[in-house]
């Protein structure tokens, strides 16, 4: 299916100007993350997602689903290219807090936008809290709702970081400027999201949504909430009622995803302690 970009703009509720400017880019990013949830529900349901822009358009716009980074950032790149932006897809290696290390492969798709001589990191599909708006690659600090974000350069690599009330810069993911296109991410889909390979991610519930003041994320039975002022809290989803309430918060305006997410939680978690995912908890 060829994407209908006007329908995509309607899906995210964007009605502003469309010239390829920084202000428009910021507006598009914010409209998208407020409207389209991040979700990796296909894998646990035994579905291998198609990540080309046409297939993602059908999923996100026509069927009103969410998507993972390889789906949604790819679709967003298509919109930006259509509007006249110079955009490149990159592969980043997410930071795994539980392992104190980055993933070995470039699991997470991000976008590099070049505009008026400046390079900007753009990411509208990540499970944990990242900057909503574009971030320069030169170390400039951007603040959103009390959280600080920057892209810190380390030799030939760049590290996206965030800082909250702790006052410490924490890594999010790292990347290079080297383009990674469909071939690379098709391999990532085969590795992690093909039911035939039985990856741990296929047994992991993962979804999130940007709110007006932060982000709400569910990973298995863990609910993570980031709030205005740079604060973060977590709690356990111990009952079906708590799981449904969390799904309602993540999938506000998407009742079919509330039901789907709750069903997956019941199947994967229920009364059993969930297995810790080895695929990064903030992808895809």
């Amino acid at each position: 299916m060829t994407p209908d970009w006007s329908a995509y703009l309607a899906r995210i509720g964007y009605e502003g100007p469309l010239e390829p400017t920084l202000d428009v880019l910021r507006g598009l990013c914010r409209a998208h993350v407020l409207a389209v949830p991040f979700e990796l529900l296909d894998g646990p349901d035994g579905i291998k997602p198609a990540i080309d822009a046409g297939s993602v358009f059908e999923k996100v716009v026509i069927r009103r689903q969410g998507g993972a980074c390889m789906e949604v950032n790819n679709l967003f790149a298509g919109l930006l290219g259509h509007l006249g932006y110079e955009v490149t897809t990159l592969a980043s290696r997410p930071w795994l807090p539980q392992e104190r290390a980055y993933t070995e492969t470039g699991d997470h798709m991000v976008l590099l936008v070049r505009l008026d001589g400046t390079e900007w990191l753009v990411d509208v599909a990540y499970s944990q809290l990242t900057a909503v708006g574009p971030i320069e690659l030169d170390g400039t600090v951007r603040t959103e709702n009390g959280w600080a974000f920057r892209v810190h350069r380390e030799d030939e690599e760049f590290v996206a970081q965030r800082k909250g009330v702790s006052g410490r810069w924490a890594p999010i993911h790292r990347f290079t400027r080297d383009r990674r296109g469909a071939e690379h991410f098709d391999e990532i889909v085969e590795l992690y999201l093909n039911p035939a390979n039985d990856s741990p991610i296929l047994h992991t519930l993962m979804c999130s949504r940007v709110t007006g003041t932060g982000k709400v994320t569910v990973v298995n039975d863990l609910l993570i909430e980031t709030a205005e002022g740079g604060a973060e809290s977590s709690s356990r989803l111990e009952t079906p009622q708590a799981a449904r309430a969390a799904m309602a918060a993540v999938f506000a305006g998407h009742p079919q995803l509330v039901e789907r997410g709750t069903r997956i939680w019941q199947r994967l978690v229920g009364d059993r302690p969930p297995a810790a995912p080895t695929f990064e908890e903030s992808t895809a």
Side-chain angles (χ1 to χ4, degrees):
M1 176 179 292
T2 300
D4 177 348
W5 300 117
S6 61
Y8 178 30
L9 292 169
R11 166 74 169 93
I12 65 175
Y14 181 82
E15 299 178 344
L18 296 175
E19 296 80 10
T21 66
L22 180 58
D23 284 344
V24 169
L25 180 61
R26 287 174 173 149
L28 290 168
C29 288
R30 182 163 185 81
H32 179 96
V33 299
L34 289 175
V36 180
F38 172 96
E39 49 96 346
L40 271 168
L41 303 185
D42 280 353
D45 268 347
I47 301 168
K48 184 177 77 170
I51 62 174
D52 63 281
S55 296
V56 180
F57 172 83
E58 192 275 336
K59 177 182 178 181
V60 171
V61 178
I62 304 301
R63 294 193 284 121
R64 290 188 59 81
Q65 305 288 302
C69 70
M70 291 172 284
E71 300 169 286
V72 175
N73 274 333
N74 198 31
L75 180 64
F76 196 66
L79 172 67
L80 296 182
H82 173 74
L83 295 178
Y85 289 93
E86 182 184 352
V87 57
T88 304
T89 55
L90 309 179
S92 75
R93 296 187 291 124
W95 174 253
L96 299 174
Q98 72 277 16
E99 298 180 14
R100 306 298 298 172
Y102 294 96
T103 59
E104 294 183 2
T105 57
D107 306 323
H108 178 54
M109 178 187 285
V110 295
L111 307 180
L112 177 66
V113 176
R114 294 181 175 88
L115 185 62
D116 298 329
T118 301
E119 295 177 314
W120 301 85
L121 174 68
V122 171
D123 186 359
V124 296
Y126 203 71
S127 70
Q128 297 183 17
L129 183 68
T130 55
V132 170
I135 301 290
E136 299 98 319
L137 267 61
D138 62 3
T140 299
V141 176
R142 295 282 175 180
T143 302
E144 296 177 357
N145 296 322
W147 291 88
F149 300 92
R150 71 180 182 184
V151 176
H152 175 66
R153 184 163 187 170
E154 296 182 0
D155 297 324
E156 295 304 312
E157 291 194 307
F158 299 85
V159 181
Q161 301 173 320
R162 73 176 188 182
K163 181 173 66 172
V165 292
S166 70
R168 299 187 301 272
W169 286 105
I172 303 172
H173 57 79
R174 65 189 303 134
F175 60 95
T176 71
R177 288 195 188 94
D178 298 333
R179 179 185 179 276
R180 292 292 183 268
E183 300 82 3
H184 173 83
F185 289 103
D186 284 342
E187 292 179 1
I188 298 297
V189 169
E190 285 297 321
L191 181 62
Y192 292 117
L193 300 176
N194 186 341
N197 292 332
D198 200 32
S199 161
I201 199 66
L202 302 179
H203 307 282
T204 302
L205 172 63
M206 191 183 304
C207 54
S208 68
R209 183 178 67 89
V210 171
T211 67
T213 57
K215 200 164 197 174
V216 56
T217 298
V218 172
V219 181
N220 288 332
D221 68 340
L222 183 63
L223 173 65
I224 305 168
E225 297 175 282
T226 55
E228 193 169 15
E232 182 176 59
S233 62
S234 62
S235 59
R236 293 290 175 181
L237 303 174
E238 298 179 344
T239 66
Q241 293 76 18
R244 178 174 290 276
M247 292 300 112
V250 170
F251 295 128
H254 300 78
Q256 75 280 21
L257 292 178
V258 174
E259 296 302 318
R260 189 180 179 195
T262 303
R263 171 175 51 78
I264 291 172
W265 180 91
Q266 186 66 59
R267 187 176 76 244
L268 294 182
V269 181
D271 296 326
R272 303 183 305 276
T278 56
F279 180 53
E280 38 88 14
E281 289 190 355
S282 342
T283 249

